[in-house]
Amino acid sequence: MPVRCVPVPKEVAADDLRCVGSFHGWLVGVTPNKDRSDEYNRDADGDCFLVNVFSRKVIRLPQLCHMRYNFPAYSSKTLRIVNGSGEVHFGVNDIYTMSLCNVALSASPESSKYIVAASSDHKGAPVPALWQPGMISWQVCSGVEIDGPRDLSFYQGKLYMLMRHRTRLFTCELEEDDRGFMVSRIELSLTELPRNHPYQEGGAISCNMVVWRGELLLIIRHYNGDYRKRQLHKVEVFALDVDTNPYGLTEIHSLNGDCIFVGLGGCKSFPAGLHHGVEGDHIYFVPDDWKPYDTFVYSMRDGKMRSFAVKLLASEFDVDQLSHDFPVWLLPTE
C-alpha cells in the first residue's frame, strides 16, 4: 500500500519523537529527556503523550524521568507473588527513570476511565509502570521475578505481563481506592508449555500476547540456540484457559479469517477484510529483538513463512535502519 503520513500536532512534534504503542486511532509517543546534565539520565525518555491521529487531540502523561520525591503523596505497597516466589514492590510519587519499550491501554482515551501500562528498559533495568488520569506520576513496579523484556495486555479487567524469553505469565488484579487504582494481587499463572512439548528444551523463544475475539492468545516463536546464526524453527499459537490453575493451553490453527499483527510495541488482532492486501489466518511480524529474522508473514493454515512483499524502510530518507526504533502497528477503525 502507498505510504501515508500521520500529521503530529505542533505542540508535540519533534525530530526525535518515537512511538512505543498504539490503541485504535491513538499513538503513544515519547521524546528524550531534555536534562543532559546527569549522565545516568541522559538517554532516558522525557515527555510522554497520547495523540489521536484523526482529531489530533493530545493527552499528556507524567514525565518519564522523575527525580524528586513527593513525600506528602508518596505511597508504596509490597505484594507476594501467588503460586510463585518473591515479591513485587509498587511505588507512587517516587524517584524513577524510564525509557519505554512498549505500552498497552485498557480502554480508549476517549473513555472516562482507562489505565496505561508501560514497559521500561533504561540502562538494562527493566520495570513495568502504570498510570491513569488524575495521577501526577507513574506507579513503578519492581521485583526480581518480573525482570526482563515483557509483553503487556489487558484482558477481562486484569493486567497480564508475559516474560518475552521465558514462558512465565503474571496476572495482576486491579482495584480502586481514594488515591486511584492499585494492584491488589499478582499471581504466576503460567510457567511452561504443555508436557512433552518438542520445543520445550533447548533453543530460544520469543513470546507475545494478543486479545482475539474475546480470547487471550499466546504466540511463541522458537529459534535455534546460536545467537549469531539465529534461525526461526516454528511458530505456535495457543488459546489460554484463564479459568484453570495454572492456566491451560490449547493450540489453535485458525483465526476464522482474521489476522494478527505482532511487534515490539504491542500486538493487534484485526478482521482481514477491512484492509486491502491483508490475508486472513495470517500473522504479520515486524522486527523484534533478533532482526532481520523477525520480519515475516506466517500462515496459520499450513505453517509456512514468507517475506513481506515490500521491503520495510526506516524512513523515506537514506538512513541506516539500525539507527531507528522498531515500527509500531497502527490499525485505526475509523
Side-chain angles (χ1 to χ4, degrees):
M1 298 181 66
V3 174
R4 297 180 181 179
C5 294
V6 177
V8 178
K10 292 182 179 179
E11 59 185 293
V12 295
D15 292 337
D16 45 13
L17 166 70
R18 61 188 180 92
C19 295
V20 293
S22 68
F23 190 93
H24 298 303
W26 291 81
L27 285 173
V28 186
V30 296
T31 58
N33 180 28
K34 297 177 182 178
D35 183 6
R36 300 293 190 178
S37 59
D38 189 336
E39 183 176 352
Y40 179 79
N41 300 324
R42 191 171 298 165
D43 56 352
D45 291 331
D47 293 330
C48 182
F49 54 86
L50 307 172
V51 57
N52 189 296
V53 299
F54 297 104
S55 67
R56 305 185 73 183
K57 179 181 179 181
V58 175
I59 300 175
R60 290 190 174 274
L61 278 60
Q63 285 277 318
L64 295 167
C65 187
H66 189 264
M67 301 308 295
R68 293 184 179 179
Y69 282 110
N70 186 341
F71 289 106
Y74 172 80
S75 64
S76 64
K77 187 175 185 178
T78 299
L79 293 176
R80 184 180 64 84
I81 299 176
V82 180
N83 292 335
S85 61
E87 299 175 329
V88 179
H89 308 279
F90 302 87
V92 181
N93 297 309
D94 200 352
I95 288 178
Y96 54 77
T97 303
M98 295 192 290
S99 181
L100 300 190
C101 302
N102 61 323
V103 173
L105 277 71
S106 64
S108 170
E110 300 286 357
S111 64
S112 58
K113 288 186 179 182
Y114 63 96
I115 298 173
V116 180
S119 180
S120 167
D121 188 19
H122 181 251
K123 298 291 187 182
V127 296
L130 305 170
W131 177 86
Q132 74 171 171
M135 295 175 58
I136 61 176
S137 75
W138 291 83
Q139 180 185 123
V140 178
C141 316
S142 62
V144 175
E145 293 299 315
I146 59 172
D147 279 352
R150 65 187 66 82
D151 208 15
L152 306 170
S153 185
F154 286 96
Y155 178 67
Q156 295 185 350
K158 299 177 182 179
L159 171 64
Y160 290 83
M161 296 190 295
L162 175 67
M163 300 296 101
R164 294 290 312 282
H165 305 313
R166 295 181 294 169
T167 315
R168 296 173 65 83
L169 178 66
F170 295 90
T171 305
C172 300
E173 297 184 10
L174 308 173
E175 66 177 17
E176 288 194 77
D177 57 20
D178 55 352
R179 296 167 296 179
F181 81 97
M182 289 289 287
V183 177
S184 60
R185 187 175 187 270
I186 182 168
E187 180 178 357
L188 180 58
S189 304
L190 181 69
T191 60
E192 60 183 9
L193 295 174
R195 290 176 179 265
N196 302 320
H197 191 277
Y199 296 93
Q200 181 72 31
E201 299 295 335
I205 62 173
S206 183
C207 305
N208 293 97
M209 287 183 297
V210 65
V211 178
W212 168 74
R213 296 196 179 192
E215 291 192 78
L216 187 61
L217 303 185
L218 182 65
I219 303 171
I220 300 180
R221 282 164 282 176
H222 298 271
Y223 303 83
N224 65 353
D226 188 349
Y227 183 81
R228 291 175 295 181
K229 297 181 180 179
R230 183 69 68 191
Q231 290 184 341
L232 179 65
H233 287 320
K234 186 178 178 64
V235 177
E236 292 181 306
V237 181
F238 296 94
L240 281 164
D241 183 357
V242 299
D243 295 324
T244 62
N245 188 6
Y247 288 175
L249 290 172
T250 302
E251 188 171 4
I252 63 173
H253 301 279
S254 171
L255 297 173
N256 295 332
D258 291 347
C259 54
I260 292 176
F261 300 85
V262 177
L264 188 65
C267 305
K268 316 290 180 184
S269 63
F270 211 66
L274 294 185
H275 279 295
H276 175 69
V278 179
E279 299 179 74
D281 292 310
H282 281 68
I283 305 178
Y284 295 80
F285 294 89
V286 289
D288 207 327
D289 296 328
W290 298 318
K291 59 183 178 182
Y293 315 101
D294 291 318
T295 306
F296 63 96
V297 183
Y298 173 77
S299 172
M300 293 281 290
R301 299 166 185 165
D302 56 20
K304 293 182 178 180
M305 293 171 272
R306 69 172 191 266
S307 302
F308 277 91
V310 178
K311 181 180 179 182
L312 294 179
L313 299 177
S315 71
E316 60 182 313
F317 304 104
D318 186 17
V319 179
D320 183 3
Q321 189 168 353
L322 293 176
S323 65
H324 284 251
D325 291 286
F326 301 124
V328 170
W329 292 108
L330 174 65
L331 304 173
T333 56
E334 300 184 25

